Amino acid sequence: MNYRNLDRLFNPKNIAMIGASATPVKWGFIVLLNILKEGFKGPVYPVNPKLKTILGVTCYPSLEAIPEPVDLVIITTPAPTVSALIDECGRKGVASLVVITSGFSETGPDGTRMEQEIVAKARGYGIHLVGPNTMGIFSAKSNLHALMPPVVPLHGGLSMFSQSGNVGVQMLYWGNNKGIGFNKFVSSGNEGDLKGEDYLSYFAEDKDTKVILAYLEGLDPDSKLYQVARKVCRKKPVLIFKGGRTKTGGKAAASHSGAMAVSSRVLRAAFRQAGIIELENSQGLIDCAKAFSASPIPKGNRVAILTRGGGWGVITADSCEENGLIVPKLSDTIIERMNKILPPYWSHGNPVDMAAVITSEPYLQCM
Amino acid sequence: MNYRNLDRLFNPKNIAMIGASATPVKWGFIVLLNILKEGFKGPVYPVNPKLKTILGVTCYPSLEAIPEPVDLVIITTPAPTVSALIDECGRKGVASLVVITSGFSETGPDGTRMEQEIVAKARGYGIHLVGPNTMGIFSAKSNLHALMPPVVPLHGGLSMFSQSGNVGVQMLYWGNNKGIGFNKFVSSGNEGDLKGEDYLSYFAEDKDTKVILAYLEGLDPDSKLYQVARKVCRKKPVLIFKGGRTKTGGKAAASHSGAMAVSSRVLRAAFRQAGIIELENSQGLIDCAKAFSASPIPKGNRVAILTRGGGWGVITADSCEENGLIVPKLSDTIIERMNKILPPYWSHGNPVDMAAVITSEPYLQCM
């Protein structure tokens, strides 16, 4: 698969932070703090001409003054300053750039022009640009926590791109609550340069990524996401939760047109055709990710249900049937084997109701 | 509304426990322990001719030997013994009976005959019978924890009947996790005598019950549940989760007939017509209960969304539109009032995106 190599974004050998600040309420301080306190595996170079050190780390007056080539630059300075900084990055040979700064295409035509300019420049220099208007990135392998919120995800096999920083970061928190870890995460922001399909194809080739998650709001009509997803889904589960399915969802307007409803159905069909698993709510995204992390992809659609309480067997069997799975009768051989493990009053059917068997051993034997 | 008064079931002045045991693995010990350790507000009389005391409480050789009239009797002795015990209860003038014992209609024709016999007897004596094959009952007002599992629910405004003990008890545990309390709970078991509609109409008249929950599996064709629900729904929210919607869900058989699919649609339509809110999964039941507990029933279908992060506004607006709610434009008056609270870059629309306002005060002011 033809994809952009994002190794130097997710596993940079070093980081420069332009807009680094000693003022605790500024993003240039908060993001730097998160990077330092989580122990990024490499040098971190704060850039600020007015300071000698921040948080005990030597400050540099400019990108040029840094004594070695730089892989990853993070920018938090105001939008009008970003364009000139990209020229500096170009001269320095920087590989990748995370533009946390907002005030670009999300604010209207002037912002859109500024965004087009910085993207064109970055592409001219061969720099991969995340954002603008992003909450940052995370990478387990490098202990890279270049994020606005102080979230410390567990390390694991999930990789995610999210068009909403808030929603994406919530997934990292929920991952912590549910005991499931992330490998790479990016708040993709306005996706001026790097887009969903770039992250998707990179995650597809990344051996540390087992399951791919995405939160999407908008999709360009010419997006290559489906084409990419169609191939990726054969290798790894791709789970998507789409916000802005309705007109109301996208804008403040409450009106609801037939055209939109159709387009939402088309979108859903396209996801399905591509092999993407679409979730209908945000909690479902992390729950489904947990299920795929814990289990191999099933070989078929036949399910055996093992439960200690009848009600849960009923609920699970309903869910199976409603989602196209088969809950077949157990073979005589299996029933005979279970008879040796379970007391005589077990259900002798599928779902297997172990009834009042409380101890764990028969449960594990049945598995 | 014509309903059976269950005051002496949920708020008995005393309890006798037939089958009380000193053996820790027996239900006659476990249920008694739960009652005693949670501090039921009234005398508890273990009945066991072989023991003088259990857990420090005086034991009686028979129901008759108890020195006062008894409101509630709990039975855990084997199924064949229950019929004769009901005669004893009848002679003693017992008001209500929880038959935890299983081995009745859930086991086949012989069990069904036994169940019919005990129900006919109980009705003859005017005794209200819970079960058989129940996990017990809970009532906040009396600190009554006559339950098999050692769950200690928070006290609150939810009351629930559940045809599955496991599922119902899980709701009590989830209530604890989510900080939401129960007022009354009953695992309704086989519903030989008292049925869903009895609990529903009692909860409807009960001033301590704010929201009614139910987990159902089967419904008799002549069930009065809809008729009762139709009236109750005008007063209090009634939230139902129905297991066994599919053939697979009811039985081990995997086959799926057109007739069943229709009957599931009919059922759903009937719920809707009655005004019952049907949830599609067990977690949804407790989440919805929490929402109704925390908020008054809305007067209309117009929603204003207040959020600190754009993504959550999009997701909430989608949910509103997909569920028939309107997210209207804000009036100029409201926008002007919000302008005085929020920084200039707030969304000026509905959803209200407060953007990077982190402190709580503007949030509360906006509310």
Side-chain angles (χ1 to χ4, degrees), chain A residues 50 63 71 81 83 86 95 101 118 128 161 175 183 185 207-208 210 215 222 232 244 246 261 294 338 346 361:
Chain A
K50 294 180 194 155
L63 200 59
D71 268 357
T81 67
S83 179
I86 290 180
T101 309
I118 67 164
H128 290 159
F161 64 94
N183 198 273
F185 169 83
K207 68 173 177 36
D208 297 327
K210 308 297 178 208
Y215 171 74
D222 60 348
V232 176
T246 63
M338 304 284 262
W346 78 279
E361 203 174 312

Side-chain angles (χ1 to χ4, degrees), chain A residues 159-194:
Chain A
S159 288
M160 176 173 196
F161 64 94
S162 177
Q163 288 183 348
S164 158
N166 279 304
V167 175
V169 165
Q170 186 64 52
M171 295 296 147
L172 302 180
Y173 280 112
W174 280 340
N176 286 352
N177 291 346
K178 288 170 187 275
I180 178 171
F182 282 79
N183 198 273
K184 297 178 177 67
F185 169 83
V186 56
S187 155
S188 61
N190 293 359
E191 299 194 352
D193 174 35
L194 289 171

Side-chain angles (χ1 to χ4, degrees), chain B residues 110-194:
Chain B
D110 287 348
T112 303
R113 270 189 297 275
M114 263 201 297
E115 184 168 313
Q116 285 164 346
E117 184 186 319
I118 66 164
V119 168
K121 277 194 180 184
R123 287 183 174 170
Y125 293 119
I127 298 172
H128 291 158
L129 185 151
V130 177
N133 189 24
T134 161
M135 278 203 190
I137 67 169
F138 160 77
S139 176
K141 194 173 163 192
S142 307
N143 275 348
L144 171 62
H145 293 68
L147 292 165
M148 287 160 73
V151 59
V152 184
L154 297 173
H155 291 193
L158 310 185
S159 287
M160 178 172 193
F161 64 94
S162 178
Q163 288 183 346
S164 157
N166 279 302
V167 175
V169 164
Q170 186 64 51
M171 295 298 148
L172 303 179
Y173 280 113
W174 280 341
N176 286 352
N177 290 345
K178 288 171 186 273
I180 179 171
F182 283 77
N183 199 273
K184 296 177 179 66
F185 169 82
V186 56
S187 154
S188 60
N190 294 359
E191 298 192 354
D193 174 36
L194 290 171

